[in-house]
Amino acid sequence: MTLTIKDLLNQDEFWAFLFVFGAALLNWPMLSLAADKQPLFGFLPVLVYISAVWLLLIFFAYLFERRYSD
Amino acid sequence: MIGQNTALITMVLYLLLLFGIAQYAHRQNLSGRSIVSNPYVYALSLCVYVSSWTYYGSIGRAASTGLEFLTIYLGPTLAMLLGWVLIRKMIRISKEFRLTSISDFISFRYGRSYAIGAIVAVAGLVMVTPYVALQLIAISTSLEVLGGKHIILGLELESKLIVALLLGAFAVIFGARHLDPMERHEGLIAVVAFESLVKLVSFLLAGIYVTYGIFGGYGVILEGLSRAASANPDYTKLLSINYTSWFSLTLISFFAVLLLPRQFYVMVVENAEEAHLKKAMWLFPLYLFLMNLFVPAIAWGGLLLNTPGIKDAFIITIPYTHGQDLLALFVFIGGASAATAMILVESVAVGTMMLNDLEMPYLLRRIGSGRDLPGLLLQMRRLNILLVVVLGYLYSRLVAYESLASIGLVSFLAASQLAPAALGGLYWKRGSREGAIAGMVSGFLLWIYTALIPSLTEAGWFSKSLVMDGPFGIAFLKPTALFGLDLDIWTHSAFVSLSVNCTLYILISLMSRPSSEELVLTNSFVDVYEAKVEPPVIRGAIRVGTIDELEITLARYIGDERAKSRVDEELARRNTTRSSIDAKQLLELWGEFEKTLTGSVGPSATRMIVEGVIQVKPVQEAIEATQPVYELSPGRTFIIPEKAYEVFTDQITHGVEGLCITTHDPEELRRRWGFRETPIIKLSHEKGSERYISPTNLPLLFVTIKSFVESSKNSIVLLDNIEYLMKENAEVVPEREVLDFVYEIEQLSRETRMVLAERPTFVHGEVSLEINEIKDLIFSLGPLSSYLFKVFSEAIMSGVNIAIRADVIREFNESIESDTIFEKVGSVEAESSAAACDPEMARPNKIGALNTFSGLVLNRQEFFVAVRRLGRIIKKYDSKFDLAASVKDLMKSFGRSPLEISLIPGTTYVIEEEKPSKSLEVFSELVNHGMDGLCLSRYNPEILVERYGIPAETLIWLTQRSESEYRSVDPTNFPRLSSMLSDFLSKANYPVILLEGLGYLITQSNYETVLRFIQSQRDDVALRSAIFLVHIDPLSLDTKELHRLESEMEPLDVKIEV
């Protein structure tokens, strides 16, 4: 049986996973992939990377609220 | 150029605006239209996390150390991912058990530990003081950027002082309106949410201006920085990341957003609904993201522009130096918003922690119950709030801003030390109190050594050699490089302190065994989502008492009205009433009562109150084969000056269950008298064992005695002694409380044998050294009658019109001087042993300037005479004054009929009515409220007992039938009637006689005989100071006969309230 996104968001383990996943993405070694690089098209890769991960995590939290708002 | 005072005035106006917003939100809440109970406001309130340290400090850090500043916001973002798992559980627990601060939260988890609560409260104060200082300095610094130093009338005005005072007042007004901190502070939260918006908008505007207004885009700034970095290695580090430091700062900020006092307060305590958390889970991180969007631009742009001044102030300096005064002013307001929100919430949060976990438990131990405790607690809470702000201000005077820049991280590290105990305790049941204490204490000590001291060294508080070379030159123990660890200061401190903290928490928890109380609380805490969480009622403290006792005890701490409404609420919820509540429901109510107390005074204080309710079960000593030497009838009060313990021992060794309350050492008593099982409670301020009660804790003492008496069928209570209790409570508790205690004890004696070991000189009247039965304790012991008079006269004077009060007082005092108020006022020292042995007690009391004497001694009659005389004086100036009405409630509270005040002893009254209903009601009211009564009636006594509640032993039936079980007398036998009345008057203390059936007497004999009888009894009554009530049916007599009778008597004009 396939779980929906809603089912996934409803599980505490998913949030624990997302927490660890997010922490991993925002630390070494993943961070080093974008760090210490020169600006590209006027943007600092590390800032772009961090912003992207940040917004992704926010998006998941937003989805949770949308799916479970009363 | 912004004028010198423009910025300050703008700030003051802004604060007034905030005040208006708070007031509006508060009023809307009162009218049921809360503007704060919504998820957006909740999410914005969490943004109090962004203080001026982050508002200005992020830019400073971005300009100094590069991208590390982002970790301060990534940590909270990650924390919010666990919002529905972790934060929701914290909210659920806190609401369930009414926990109102982080110190309450952790203390509660570990068995409502006073030690843990105190540690966290002290740590909270230590960690926020420099943080508050930083906010004040930030405001002051930005003010100086805009307008220079403020000089008024040649004096340098300290803007931070003005700000501190304003914010302190604001926090008190909107953060400490009520004692119950579980009542949400809508005004405060509305302000915090509004300020979050202001600081975000101002920051974004500044960012947009710098990025696009000055530089033409982000890319331009980054390109410029890259070029600068290639020329200057100092700029290279701005683009690089120290991963170790990055990780530790993320971790520290993760803990900080959960455990800083202000964050816990807004996130947990002020949460209106758990569902709001869902919005906050994404809105708060989005806010943080937007807040940081232009930080690199402003920081690096400032560097590229060679902006003067400190880097932290770039956000305000750049627009200001580019002529954007209005923008600079708005940014200043944004920074002020960031600072003020933090100070407001932090001071309220820490103020509550200090009250609940430091001061309240101390108060309970030292002072006992005290007086007007709810009012005192509220004042203390307000003072604590002011203290936090004042300490922050004082700290800001001692250190420079640059030194404070690192204090934010130091505070975050301090908050992190709570993590193992708080977060571990949420999920790990084996976590114990000892483990939590060991972990936190070690963590905080290492934090002080590795983080606080190095940061204070920068400020010049400690010698630099301590940090450079280690203490006493021991390099191995360098605060920033313990055991040779080579890490940046934050990582080093976090690693060392948290490792030791966690290790000790786990190890000590595994080695220790939690108490049963702790286990109960742990299960309730960790399993808070389980189907039904039983309130953590501690088995040892369960009381089988009444609902009234519960309410009385609760009222001591939260006030009468709130206690009543809480009890009514809980009764309604259980569909029961005060009279029909059963034991199980009462037990549940006890649990709710504990929660209510927790919300008001914190968990460790609640525990002390709960545990202070001492369980004394009746037990029997080994019964001796002999007969008891002394006979003590149950239902009486006895004063036994010298042989109290001997009599007590005699009773308890012959089957009576005893309770001994004493000032002597319990062990010595047991040795001397041979008690083994009988409970002994020592009256003492010390806390040597569970069987100590503070002599100033009269409600607890009474409740303990009562629960004992009610759980025994055959008991004796020895109280040694009331004189000691009165001395200890003099000047500590109001006289009313002492009076209530003595009165209640006397009422309780109806269910037991109450033995008082008083000295003969403390008792009025003749007292032998053996057993003396006594009634009316208030008029028999020490200065109690003077207390009573003081209470009555205060109650009477409070109802007197202010315009005539001075005249009344003057005349009353003159009357005292001329001995026309108190008949025995000259014999204070002779009458009162208390006055004789304690000169202090003979000084005049001031009752709104009425002079009375605490050594005054009055019997019941003299007391009411004095009260009536006072009433007459008042009536001279206010003809509408009604003495009976003004003391009605007071009389009832002491078990007296309000009618008694209107009846002058020695008077014969006539009650004219066709049927004697009013007469019988008056008589019943009087005898059921302590007067000794005799009723001569034509009615069958059974009817009088049933219909009017008149005690049978007071009745004499006027009948010629002699076979009745009741006392009767032939209506023609006047000598016998006179003899019965005379006999009664000689034995009674406060006699009242009712003659009902005058018409029958006249019928059986003749009018003249009856009139002579009335006249002779009238004289006896006057001599014996009794009250004689005569019922007449006016229609049964002709006018002349009625008139002749009326001339012998006073008409009775009293209202009966049924």
Side-chain angles (χ1 to χ4, degrees):
Chain A
M1 182 178 127
T2 315
L3 291 175
T4 63
I5 294 283
K6 191 171 175 179
D7 296 326
L8 195 66
L9 293 171
N10 196 29
Q11 296 184 65
D12 291 351
E13 291 81 354
F14 172 75
W15 293 103
F17 160 75
L18 198 64
F19 167 75
V20 173
F21 185 61
L25 285 179
L26 290 169
N27 276 281
W28 183 88
M30 296 303 295
L31 199 55
S32 63
L33 297 177
D36 299 320
K37 301 277 194 301
Q38 292 299 313
L40 203 60
F41 306 113
F43 293 101
L44 212 53
V46 69
L47 281 180
V48 172
Y49 173 76
I50 291 172
S51 300
V53 173
W54 201 337
L55 288 170
L56 181 68
L57 298 176
I58 292 172
F59 178 68
F60 271 108
Y62 172 75
L63 273 184
F64 174 64
E65 195 254 334
R66 285 286 304 207
R67 301 281 172 175
Y68 284 96
S69 57
D70 294 326
Chain B
M1 170 80 174
I2 295 174
Q4 276 186 353
N5 296 321
T6 305
L8 185 60
I9 291 168
T10 309
M11 173 150 184
V12 172
L13 288 173
Y14 178 66
L15 287 175
L16 289 173
L17 170 66
L18 295 180
F19 190 92
I21 291 170
Q23 197 61 357
Y24 174 73
H26 178 66
R27 283 212 209 99
Q28 288 295 104
N29 181 39
L30 290 177
S31 61
R33 293 189 302 265
S34 170
I35 59 168
V36 164
S37 294
N38 71 71
Y40 291 96
V41 172
Y42 175 66
L44 284 173
S45 72
L46 301 192
C47 304
V48 74
Y49 180 79
V50 178
S51 69
S52 65
W53 179 65
T54 40
Y55 195 85
Y56 295 110
S58 293
I59 294 171
R61 289 190 72 80
S64 310
T65 55
L67 298 169
E68 256 178 24
F69 74 94
L70 285 170
T71 57
I72 305 304
Y73 307 98
L74 294 176
T77 300
L78 291 170
M80 293 315 285
L81 290 178
L82 296 178
W84 202 242
V85 176
L86 184 62
I87 301 174
R88 181 172 153 243
K89 190 170 186 180
M90 292 165 77
I91 293 173
R92 179 69 65 92
I93 290 168
S94 298
K95 297 289 183 230
E96 177 70 27
F97 302 115
R98 297 187 159 242
L99 307 172
T100 56
S101 66
I102 186 66
S103 55
D104 281 357
F105 186 82
I106 303 175
S107 154
F108 186 87
R109 163 62 179 79
Y110 297 102
R112 295 187 285 193
S113 163
Y114 171 56
I116 290 184
I119 290 169
V120 178
V122 169
L125 185 61
V126 169
M127 82 175 81
V128 308
T129 297
Y131 215 148
V132 169
L134 177 62
Q135 314 305 311
L136 293 172
I137 290 188
I139 296 175
S140 166
T141 305
S142 49
L143 266 175
E144 281 174 22
V145 166
L146 293 179
K149 287 205 184 301
H150 288 75
I151 310 288
I152 291 181
L153 300 173
L155 293 172
E156 187 179 324
L157 183 70
E158 253 206 329
S159 49
K160 355 184 236 275
L161 177 59
I162 300 173
V163 170
L165 291 172
L166 284 171
L167 290 179
F170 198 116
V172 165
I173 292 168
F174 288 102
R177 273 179 189 260
H178 312 283
L179 179 60
D180 186 359
M182 288 307 291
E183 287 182 28
R184 297 174 50 248
H185 300 93
E186 298 247 330
L188 188 65
I189 296 303
V191 160
V192 170
F194 177 76
E195 290 193 302
S196 298
L197 279 176
V198 169
K199 63 193 176 198
L200 176 66
V201 169
S202 64
F203 208 100
L204 288 175
L205 281 177
I208 290 169
Y209 170 71
V210 170
T211 310
Y212 299 101
I214 298 177
F215 285 94
Y218 229 116
V220 174
I221 298 173
L222 293 173
E223 301 250 355
L225 190 70
S226 297
R227 275 198 301 274
S230 55
N232 186 345
D234 284 344
Y235 287 151
T236 313
K237 70 175 182 191
L238 298 180
L239 300 175
S240 63
I241 293 176
N242 177 333
Y243 296 107
T244 327
S245 179
W246 181 276
F247 173 78
S248 11
L249 291 177
T250 310
L251 181 69
I252 291 166
S253 53
F254 167 80
F255 289 138
V257 78
L258 297 172
L259 302 170
L260 275 171
R262 71 176 187 274
Q263 291 304 127
F264 186 91
Y265 187 79
V266 294
M267 192 165 60
V268 174
V269 179
E270 292 286 349
N271 171 269
E273 285 177 38
E274 284 179 11
H276 294 174
L277 190 52
K278 291 183 205 155
K279 184 81 76 184
M281 278 172 67
W282 64 269
L283 200 54
F284 176 47
L286 180 63
Y287 180 99
L288 297 178
F289 177 82
L290 292 172
M291 203 68 188
N292 288 278
L293 202 54
F294 294 104
V295 167
I298 298 170
W300 299 338
L303 288 173
L304 293 174
L305 293 170
N306 292 316
T307 309
I310 56 174
K311 293 172 187 159
D312 296 38
F314 279 177
I315 187 171
I316 200 170
T317 318
I318 295 176
Y320 194 55
T321 51
H322 282 77
Q324 300 294 326
D325 291 358
L326 206 58
L327 178 60
L329 194 61
F330 190 45
V331 168
F332 161 72
I333 292 295
S337 290
T340 53
M342 181 272 173
I343 293 175
L344 287 174
V345 180
E346 204 77 271
S347 58
V348 171
V350 174
T352 302
M353 281 162 67
M354 285 166 61
L355 176 67
N356 287 358
D357 297 291
L358 270 181
E359 292 152 359
M360 192 60 207
Y362 177 84
L363 269 180
L364 282 182
R365 283 190 170 146
R366 298 280 182 270
I367 292 171
S369 306
R371 64 188 127 170
D372 188 24
L373 207 56
L376 174 65
L377 296 180
L378 190 59
Q379 293 309 319
M380 287 179 67
R381 193 151 167 254
R382 289 172 177 159
L383 284 172
N384 288 341
I385 289 172
L386 287 172
L387 179 68
V388 171
V389 179
V390 165
L391 281 178
Y393 166 71
L394 292 173
Y395 197 94
S396 73
R397 291 186 61 97
L398 297 174
V399 292
Y401 179 77
E402 289 77 10
S403 308
L404 286 173
S406 60
I407 288 295
L409 282 175
V410 173
S411 289
F412 277 27
L413 265 168
S416 303
Q417 302 310 319
L418 304 177
L423 304 180
L426 266 181
Y427 294 100
W428 190 41
K429 289 188 181 181
R430 284 290 279 122
S432 74
R433 174 168 47 210
E434 289 78 11
I437 292 174
M440 282 198 297
V441 168
S442 58
F444 278 121
L445 288 174
L446 283 167
W447 163 75
I448 290 171
Y449 188 66
T450 58
L452 187 62
I453 287 178
S455 69
L456 292 177
T457 303
E458 277 181 50
W461 285 33
F462 294 95
S463 160
K464 281 194 165 48
S465 64
L466 172 62
V467 176
M468 303 295 292
D469 306 322
F472 311 110
I474 307 172
F476 207 57
L477 297 176
K478 274 200 272 187
T480 51
L482 272 177
F483 314 121
L485 278 173
D486 182 22
L487 297 165
D488 66 277
I489 181 173
W490 309 118
T491 307
H492 173 266
S493 181
F495 174 74
V496 170
S497 58
L498 286 174
S499 305
V500 172
N501 189 337
C502 287
T503 305
L504 285 178
Y505 172 62
I506 294 169
L507 273 180
I508 305 291
S509 293
L510 290 172
M511 285 158 53
S512 59
R513 193 172 296 224
S515 65
S516 54
E517 176 191 351
E518 203 181 321
L519 277 175
V520 169
L521 290 168
T522 298
N523 289 331
S524 309
F525 202 91
V526 175
D527 298 331
V528 72
Y529 290 130
E530 298 298 300
K532 171 79 177 84
V533 178
E534 285 296 322
V537 174
I538 310 308
R539 297 291 143 192
I542 290 172
R543 291 196 53 247
V544 181
T546 66
I547 189 84
D548 290 329
E549 287 166 21
L550 193 146
E551 188 179 326
I552 287 168
T553 315
L554 191 58
R556 280 219 57 75
Y557 301 97
I558 65 171
D560 294 337
E561 273 186 45
R562 285 193 52 229
K564 185 175 183 304
S565 76
R566 280 293 296 137
V567 170
D568 289 342
E569 214 176 279
E570 292 300 326
L571 288 172
R573 207 193 295 183
R574 285 164 179 76
N575 281 327
T576 185
T577 62
R578 283 161 196 275
S579 50
S580 60
I581 187 168
D582 62 37
K584 181 175 177 295
Q585 289 168 323
L586 195 57
L587 205 61
E588 288 171 16
L589 220 67
W590 181 255
E592 291 303 318
F593 154 56
E594 282 188 40
K595 286 186 205 172
T596 303
L597 265 189
T598 302
S600 290
V601 302
S604 49
T606 297
R607 178 169 162 249
M608 292 175 71
I609 293 164
V610 162
E611 286 187 347
V613 178
I614 292 166
Q615 190 68 8
V616 277
K617 285 201 171 88
V619 291
Q620 275 195 0
E621 297 284 339
I623 297 179
E624 292 181 6
T626 56
Q627 292 294 318
V629 173
Y630 302 99
E631 285 292 328
L632 288 186
S633 307
R636 312 270 168 93
T637 306
F638 303 94
I639 287 182
I640 309 177
E642 290 200 346
K643 294 185 178 176
Y645 288 92
E646 184 181 321
V647 172
F648 180 76
T649 308
D650 177 63
Q651 296 291 296
I652 63 174
T653 50
H654 290 90
V656 182
E657 291 160 343
L659 170 65
C660 175
I661 298 168
T662 180
T663 51
H664 299 294
D665 176 49
E667 288 316 308
E668 197 189 308
L669 282 179
R670 287 196 193 282
R671 271 193 304 272
R672 189 171 164 204
W673 295 102
F675 302 166
R676 268 205 299 239
E677 307 294 332
T678 297
I680 302 177
I681 291 176
K682 185 172 179 189
L683 295 171
S684 172
H685 294 292
E686 295 171 33
K687 197 121 173 94
S689 84
E690 61 180 15
R691 293 281 170 89
Y692 280 23
I693 293 181
S694 166
T696 51
N697 196 347
L698 295 177
L700 175 61
L701 180 59
F702 172 72
V703 150
T704 305
I705 298 173
K706 188 165 190 249
S707 77
F708 168 80
V709 167
E710 283 175 350
S711 45
S712 169
K713 291 191 172 46
N714 183 20
S715 63
I716 180 170
V717 175
L718 168 58
L719 175 54
D720 179 12
N721 52 35
I722 289 184
E723 184 179 0
Y724 172 76
L725 287 173
M726 287 186 59
K727 273 211 177 114
E728 289 295 312
N729 284 285
E731 311 291 327
V732 175
V733 304
E735 288 88 351
R736 179 66 199 263
E737 193 169 318
V738 176
L739 287 168
D740 286 342
F741 173 78
V742 173
Y743 172 70
E744 294 292 339
I745 284 293
E746 190 167 12
Q747 297 305 300
L748 198 57
S749 65
R750 293 177 190 173
E751 300 171 49
T752 184
R753 299 164 182 80
M754 187 68 67
V755 173
L756 306 176
E758 307 298 332
R759 294 184 307 143
T761 47
F762 188 66
V763 185
H764 309 309
E766 289 292 323
V767 166
S768 75
L769 296 177
E770 303 284 326
I771 300 173
N772 305 271
E773 187 181 331
I774 196 152
K775 291 183 183 177
D776 257 347
L777 285 177
I778 287 179
F779 293 107
S780 305
L781 297 178
L784 285 173
S785 55
S786 74
Y787 285 12
L788 189 68
F789 188 79
K790 186 179 173 205
V791 166
F792 266 72
S793 42
E794 280 174 355
I796 292 168
M797 291 303 290
S798 67
V800 171
N801 197 311
I802 290 177
I804 59 164
R805 209 173 276 180
D807 290 325
V808 169
I809 290 168
R810 181 188 41 77
E811 187 165 335
F812 180 83
N813 290 338
E814 283 168 6
S815 302
I816 289 181
E817 295 295 322
S818 59
D819 284 349
T820 50
I821 294 288
F822 306 118
E823 288 165 358
K824 286 185 185 178
V825 74
S827 58
V828 164
E829 284 170 12
E831 290 288 336
S832 165
S833 63
C837 62
D838 186 352
E840 280 290 294
M841 297 193 71
R843 69 177 188 277
N845 287 330
K846 297 287 181 186
I847 310 166
L850 286 183
N851 287 337
T852 64
F853 292 89
S854 57
L856 189 65
V857 168
L858 300 166
N859 63 29
R860 187 167 165 169
Q861 181 181 324
E862 288 158 356
F863 170 80
F864 284 117
V865 164
V867 169
R868 277 194 284 271
R869 285 174 179 167
L870 175 58
R872 274 201 291 279
I873 292 173
I874 297 171
K875 197 122 179 139
K876 268 173 62 177
Y877 297 93
D878 179 3
S879 56
K880 292 193 186 136
F881 176 73
D882 184 346
L883 177 64
S886 70
V887 298
K888 182 180 75 176
D889 291 335
L890 209 47
M891 295 280 283
K892 281 183 181 171
S893 70
F894 286 107
R896 308 291 185 220
S897 165
L899 293 172
E900 201 175 330
I901 199 75
S902 307
L903 297 171
I904 300 172
T907 307
T908 301
Y909 293 96
V910 60
I911 305 172
E912 292 184 19
E913 52 180 350
E914 193 179 329
K915 295 283 182 194
S917 54
K918 184 172 165 186
S919 317
L920 291 164
E921 280 165 10
V922 169
F923 180 79
S924 175
E925 166 92 359
L926 291 170
V927 296
N928 285 316
H929 285 89
M931 291 193 81
D932 303 315
L934 187 70
C935 176
L936 300 149
S937 173
R938 176 68 191 112
Y939 280 89
N940 185 336
E942 276 183 22
I943 295 173
L944 298 181
V945 168
E946 196 179 311
R947 200 179 294 173
Y948 296 97
I950 296 174
E953 63 271 15
T954 65
L955 294 168
I956 296 179
W957 191 8
L958 292 171
T959 179
Q960 287 172 336
R961 309 284 288 266
S962 59
E963 59 269 22
S964 164
E965 63 184 275
Y966 294 94
R967 280 190 299 170
S968 60
V969 66
D970 188 325
T972 59
N973 192 346
F974 284 94
R976 175 82 181 113
L977 263 174
S978 293
S979 158
M980 287 172 102
L981 288 173
S982 182
D983 190 46
F984 167 75
L985 287 172
S986 66
K987 289 178 185 159
N989 281 326
Y990 306 113
V992 57
I993 302 169
L994 171 64
L995 174 58
E996 179 282 311
L998 201 68
Y1000 179 64
L1001 286 177
I1002 293 174
T1003 311
Q1004 295 298 311
S1005 57
N1006 60 69
Y1007 176 83
E1008 290 298 328
T1009 306
V1010 171
L1011 180 62
R1012 276 199 298 274
F1013 172 73
I1014 295 290
Q1015 285 166 340
S1016 74
Q1017 293 314 310
R1018 181 173 174 267
D1019 294 339
D1020 263 347
V1021 159
L1023 283 170
R1024 303 294 179 110
S1025 300
I1027 291 167
F1028 192 18
L1029 306 172
V1030 179
H1031 165 254
I1032 295 178
D1033 175 4
L1035 298 177
S1036 66
L1037 300 169
D1038 63 36
T1039 309
K1040 183 179 166 191
E1041 288 173 340
L1042 184 61
H1043 183 75
R1044 285 176 75 191
L1045 273 171
E1046 283 173 349
S1047 68
E1048 296 292 332
M1049 298 176 268
E1050 302 283 334
L1052 183 63
D1053 181 23
V1054 289
K1055 288 191 189 128
I1056 310 286
E1057 282 177 25
V1058 176

